[in-house]
Amino acid sequence: MSQRTALVTGANGGIGRAICQRLREAGHRVLTLDIAGDCDFQVDLAHGALPEGAFDAIDICIANAGIVDTIAPAHTMSAEKWARDIDLNLTGTFRIMQACLRGMRDRRWGRIVAISSVGSHGAGGQIAYAASKAGLHGLVRTIAIENSSRGITANSILPGMIATPKVLGMPQDVIDRVMDQMPMGRFGEPAEIAELVAFLAGERAGYITGQDIAVDGGISLTRINLGRARKD
């Protein structure tokens, strides 16, 4: 595999760290971006200024930064909470992709991967989160359409319940309730997301673009059974 320069946003989170490690194992040079902590670029993607020209050399853009813990149903969602999710999860993702695209188009090679969510199909109690992640569908597909002739692919990964510190930090009764709904009886691991990211970022994935790929242990599958009920 040729060494490429990758940028991972939200690099200090559970999934972000796993992605950085896996891309380094694949031989890539990895630059990190987060709103705080140890990283190459400390930037608020929602409202902060992006360093001019800093991302022109990026070959692989992994848009992982996002807010996942805004909890409110549609009838009580405040304008401030709504804007918080949209500004980072959707607009912030667009801003970093746009900044990386210029160099990719000049070099006629690039890989863009957005970490979306199965919540993009709708998630009770997370109206702003669901809307922001659903917006990534149109964003990524449009980038794929506009850039496929220049050797640039754009895809989305839709994780389900992944065992990140934030997920594992939920109240135990919530964890138990969610776990009861998991077809595989477990949460996913950040490394399982990172493995797919590494593939989509590589040379061999050059014919895959504009796709939403769920990594959710089957939770998004309907479990209605019209046949005779039986226990395994």
Side-chain angles (χ1 to χ4, degrees):
M1 180 181 290
S2 300
Q3 184 188 57
R4 303 284 186 177
T5 299
L7 174 71
V8 180
T9 71
N12 291 332
I15 292 176
R17 288 182 185 276
I19 292 172
C20 291
Q21 178 181 336
R22 185 63 186 87
L23 290 177
R24 290 186 179 111
E25 290 172 354
H28 300 303
R29 174 184 179 230
V30 177
L31 300 178
T32 57
L33 184 151
D34 213 309
I35 194 170
D38 184 18
C39 54
D40 296 300
F41 301 98
Q42 195 170 108
V43 179
D44 176 1
L45 286 179
H47 305 292
L50 299 180
E52 184 67 28
F55 308 117
D56 291 347
I58 299 300
D59 303 302
I60 300 166
C61 175
I62 311 301
N64 171 65
I67 296 169
V68 302
D69 54 0
T70 302
I71 307 297
H75 65 281
T76 65
M77 174 65 67
S78 68
E80 291 76 19
K81 286 184 176 180
W82 172 269
R84 180 172 173 257
D85 278 27
I86 299 298
D87 288 350
L88 178 56
N89 296 356
L90 183 56
T91 305
T93 297
F94 166 70
R95 294 179 69 212
I96 199 64
M97 288 181 180
Q98 183 184 53
C100 293
L101 266 172
R102 301 181 188 109
M104 292 179 182
R105 287 175 60 86
D106 288 343
R107 292 185 299 277
R108 303 187 72 86
W109 197 96
R111 299 285 185 266
I112 294 174
V113 181
I115 305 301
S116 182
S117 170
V118 293
S120 62
H121 303 314
Q126 287 188 293
I127 183 68
Y129 178 77
S132 68
K133 292 299 188 178
L136 292 180
H137 173 78
L139 170 63
V140 169
R141 286 182 63 86
T142 300
I143 288 176
I145 290 166
E146 294 176 348
N147 294 280
S148 57
S149 65
R150 289 180 173 264
I152 299 167
T153 66
N155 294 285
S156 295
I157 295 175
L158 281 60
M161 295 301 296
I162 306 300
T164 62
K166 281 197 173 183
V167 168
L168 297 178
M170 295 188 303
Q172 190 59 48
D173 65 308
V174 175
I175 292 177
D176 293 342
R177 174 159 43 86
V178 173
M179 189 66 76
D180 285 344
Q181 302 301 314
M182 300 301 296
M184 292 188 176
R186 68 175 179 90
F187 292 157
E189 294 296 329
E192 293 177 294
I193 305 300
E195 195 64 35
L196 180 54
V197 169
F199 175 72
L200 293 175
E203 305 287 345
R204 291 177 294 177
Y207 208 56
I208 303 171
T209 195
Q211 301 304 304
D212 296 324
I213 306 173
V215 184
D216 65 0
I219 196 171
S220 59
L221 299 174
T222 178
R223 302 178 72 184
I224 295 173
N225 184 358
L226 300 183
R228 181 174 297 173
R230 70 178 189 181
K231 293 184 178 180
D232 293 335

